[in-house]
Amino acid sequence: MDIKGLRINGKRLRQSLEDMAKIGATPDGGVQRLTLTDEDKTARDLFVQWLKEIDLDVTIDNMGNIFGRRPGIHDGLPPVMSGSHIDSQPKGGRFDGILGVMGPLEVMRTLHENNIETERPIIVVDWTNEEGSRFAPAMVASGVWAGALDIDWVYQRTDIHGKQFGDELERIGYKGEVPCHKWPVHAYYEYHIEQGPILEMEGKRIGAPKGILCLHWYDIYLEGEANQVGPTPMEGRHDALCAAAEMILKVNQLPEAMGGNMVATVGEIQNYPNSRNIIPDRVHFTVDIRSWDDTHALDAWERLQNDFKTIARQRGCPIRIEETWRVEHSPFDEKLVQRVLDTADALGYPGHYMVSGAGHDASYMNQVAPTAMIFVPSIGGRSHVEVENTTWEDCEAGANVLLHCLLNSANE
Ligand code: GLV
Ligand code: MN
Ligand code: MN
């Protein structure tokens, strides 16, 4: 068998992605497959069925991570791994995460049908709750696996309806017996859509990020005083939503005020009692700060907290701040990043060295094993939206890069 000439089956990869896109399909062409919902379960069941069809050894751990293992000639050697996530954002796209699970599955199918043996075992993985949208924070399952997060803390996280992560994991039947715990890994590659505009702008097909920005998440709780909006004079009000509005603009202005490389966003808000004729007395909103420079992001948070406290005082709205989650920026393994670029080059795909602004399980994997990612272009730079799209040709190209990166690492 001419290993160099080996290619994945692009049609089959497309079919798998289209089959998965039916699970949780939204009317406007996207996918809503929130973590630990019935849709997540249905997609997991299909994934497990596909793993078994090609004789992979399937393991489910007590965080619901699904591993499909293909033995190596020297089966005791640390494996190479590749995976991503099956869950999606609310009204999310058809490629975020799932491409990074179907890609390595397609690699496994290709190796299987060609009877190709590798020196090391290869493992494909679906990590539970990468998005952190239903249960904050994100990437919790790779976080527990890497030893960075405590499993009981994760089990107790609640969604906005008060349902607990641990209960929901059990409900869908994916709380496995095997303890979620790291093992030695020779190399980890995560295949993903770029989720930004750079590759399209540069006219490049394959992105090789040097790493991922730090992610800092905060939850802000404000209290005000509810009252009838008509008879209550404007002076002396304690309007929690107005306090939040001022704070949200501070977040939006933060990157410009601080300079340097940073983005800051408020994406979620709950206002109570949320009636047009009651002054709001309770607000919760989230803050997301990302930068390549962890210290810069922390300095920004210091400044923001001071602004928040001043606004809260001026508006007479007590504030409670929760520092929910922090992941340091992740500089990937330089040798593996270069391998992604070299492999793209060898296959005739123009590659591009860049950074990832989106968070990925690769952040936590990078704390355990040499890690790199493979990006393909997002049309119009749109992601976490229903119109999220990537051409089938690019999906195929990225999976071929993954195939040869995995083969290379699995045979060294
Ligand atoms: C993960 O999807 C992120 O928030 O970047
Ligand atoms: Mn993703
Ligand atoms: Mn995402």
Side-chain angles (χ1 to χ4, degrees), residues 84-85 96-97 130-131 190 192 195 359-360 384:
S84 195
H85 58 101
D96 176 5
E130 189 273 349
E131 295 290 3
E190 186 161 343
H192 210 279
Q195 307 188 271
H360 302 286
H384 281 184

mmCIF file of all heavy atoms in Angstrom, residues 84-85 96-97 130-131 190 192 195 359-360 384, ligand 2:
data_model
loop_
_atom_site.group_PDB
_atom_site.id
_atom_site.type_symbol
_atom_site.label_atom_id
_atom_site.label_comp_id
_atom_site.label_asym_id
_atom_site.label_seq_id
_atom_site.Cartn_x
_atom_site.Cartn_y
_atom_site.Cartn_z
ATOM 1 N N SER A 84 -13.017 16.195 18.895
ATOM 2 C CA SER A 84 -13.575 17.524 19.146
ATOM 3 C C SER A 84 -14.925 17.283 19.824
ATOM 4 O O SER A 84 -15.002 16.392 20.666
ATOM 5 C CB SER A 84 -13.672 18.301 17.836
ATOM 6 O OG SER A 84 -13.872 19.673 18.055
ATOM 7 N N HIS A 85 -15.977 17.975 19.416
ATOM 8 C CA HIS A 85 -17.244 17.856 20.162
ATOM 9 C C HIS A 85 -18.460 17.738 19.258
ATOM 10 O O HIS A 85 -18.488 18.292 18.167
ATOM 11 C CB HIS A 85 -17.419 19.052 21.099
ATOM 12 C CG HIS A 85 -17.398 20.380 20.380
ATOM 13 N ND1 HIS A 85 -18.537 21.079 20.086
ATOM 14 C CD2 HIS A 85 -16.381 21.128 19.882
ATOM 15 C CE1 HIS A 85 -18.223 22.208 19.464
ATOM 16 N NE2 HIS A 85 -16.925 22.255 19.317
ATOM 17 N N ASP A 96 -19.126 23.351 13.397
ATOM 18 C CA ASP A 96 -18.381 23.586 14.640
ATOM 19 C C ASP A 96 -18.388 22.315 15.488
ATOM 20 O O ASP A 96 -19.451 21.851 15.900
ATOM 21 C CB ASP A 96 -19.027 24.760 15.395
ATOM 22 C CG ASP A 96 -18.383 25.023 16.749
ATOM 23 O OD1 ASP A 96 -17.379 24.378 17.082
ATOM 24 O OD2 ASP A 96 -18.918 25.887 17.476
ATOM 25 N N GLY A 97 -17.226 21.768 15.740
ATOM 26 C CA GLY A 97 -17.098 20.592 16.602
ATOM 27 C C GLY A 97 -17.271 19.287 15.866
ATOM 28 O O GLY A 97 -16.374 18.440 15.856
ATOM 29 N N GLU A 130 -18.283 20.876 25.111
ATOM 30 C CA GLU A 130 -17.224 21.826 24.740
ATOM 31 C C GLU A 130 -17.753 23.241 24.777
ATOM 32 O O GLU A 130 -17.038 24.179 25.087
ATOM 33 C CB GLU A 130 -16.690 21.503 23.334
ATOM 34 C CG GLU A 130 -15.438 22.301 22.964
ATOM 35 C CD GLU A 130 -15.723 23.650 22.348
ATOM 36 O OE1 GLU A 130 -16.892 23.931 21.990
ATOM 37 O OE2 GLU A 130 -14.778 24.448 22.224
ATOM 38 N N GLU A 131 -19.052 23.409 24.425
ATOM 39 C CA GLU A 131 -19.543 24.771 24.187
ATOM 40 C C GLU A 131 -19.718 25.585 25.463
ATOM 41 O O GLU A 131 -19.516 26.795 25.461
ATOM 42 C CB GLU A 131 -20.858 24.731 23.404
ATOM 43 C CG GLU A 131 -20.737 24.175 21.980
ATOM 44 C CD GLU A 131 -19.980 25.096 21.034
ATOM 45 O OE1 GLU A 131 -19.491 26.143 21.472
ATOM 46 O OE2 GLU A 131 -19.866 24.739 19.850
ATOM 47 N N GLU A 190 -6.464 18.409 16.752
ATOM 48 C CA GLU A 190 -7.896 18.709 16.680
ATOM 49 C C GLU A 190 -8.182 19.418 15.362
ATOM 50 O O GLU A 190 -7.565 20.431 15.029
ATOM 51 C CB GLU A 190 -8.337 19.570 17.886
ATOM 52 C CG GLU A 190 -9.859 19.769 17.903
ATOM 53 C CD GLU A 190 -10.422 20.207 19.261
ATOM 54 O OE1 GLU A 190 -9.720 20.051 20.285
ATOM 55 O OE2 GLU A 190 -11.568 20.703 19.275
ATOM 56 N N HIS A 192 -10.810 21.434 12.967
ATOM 57 C CA HIS A 192 -11.918 22.353 13.264
ATOM 58 C C HIS A 192 -12.075 23.376 12.144
ATOM 59 O O HIS A 192 -11.112 23.666 11.436
ATOM 60 C CB HIS A 192 -11.625 23.091 14.583
ATOM 61 C CG HIS A 192 -12.846 23.476 15.352
ATOM 62 N ND1 HIS A 192 -13.590 24.590 15.047
ATOM 63 C CD2 HIS A 192 -13.456 22.896 16.411
ATOM 64 C CE1 HIS A 192 -14.608 24.669 15.896
ATOM 65 N NE2 HIS A 192 -14.560 23.642 16.736
ATOM 66 N N GLN A 195 -13.738 29.439 12.124
ATOM 67 C CA GLN A 195 -14.699 30.286 12.857
ATOM 68 C C GLN A 195 -14.356 31.765 12.781
ATOM 69 O O GLN A 195 -14.843 32.557 13.599
ATOM 70 C CB GLN A 195 -14.824 29.859 14.325
ATOM 71 C CG GLN A 195 -15.141 28.382 14.505
ATOM 72 C CD GLN A 195 -15.450 28.008 15.938
ATOM 73 O OE1 GLN A 195 -14.548 27.682 16.688
ATOM 74 N NE2 GLN A 195 -16.708 28.054 16.324
ATOM 75 N N GLY A 359 -12.154 29.001 21.550
ATOM 76 C CA GLY A 359 -11.669 28.009 22.502
ATOM 77 C C GLY A 359 -11.894 26.602 21.965
ATOM 78 O O GLY A 359 -12.826 26.370 21.193
ATOM 79 N N HIS A 360 -11.040 25.683 22.346
ATOM 80 C CA HIS A 360 -11.165 24.284 21.903
ATOM 81 C C HIS A 360 -10.643 23.366 22.999
ATOM 82 O O HIS A 360 -9.822 23.774 23.815
ATOM 83 C CB HIS A 360 -10.339 24.046 20.631
ATOM 84 C CG HIS A 360 -10.730 24.928 19.493
ATOM 85 N ND1 HIS A 360 -11.887 24.743 18.780
ATOM 86 C CD2 HIS A 360 -10.136 26.029 18.963
ATOM 87 C CE1 HIS A 360 -11.975 25.673 17.844
ATOM 88 N NE2 HIS A 360 -10.939 26.475 17.935
ATOM 89 N N HIS A 384 -20.928 29.918 14.966
ATOM 90 C CA HIS A 384 -21.899 30.004 16.073
ATOM 91 C C HIS A 384 -23.192 30.645 15.577
ATOM 92 O O HIS A 384 -23.872 31.342 16.327
ATOM 93 C CB HIS A 384 -21.322 30.779 17.279
ATOM 94 C CG HIS A 384 -20.385 29.954 18.120
ATOM 95 N ND1 HIS A 384 -19.814 30.416 19.288
ATOM 96 C CD2 HIS A 384 -19.931 28.686 17.958
ATOM 97 C CE1 HIS A 384 -19.047 29.464 19.808
ATOM 98 N NE2 HIS A 384 -19.097 28.415 19.013
HETATM 99 MN MN MN B 2 -15.932 24.033 18.487
#
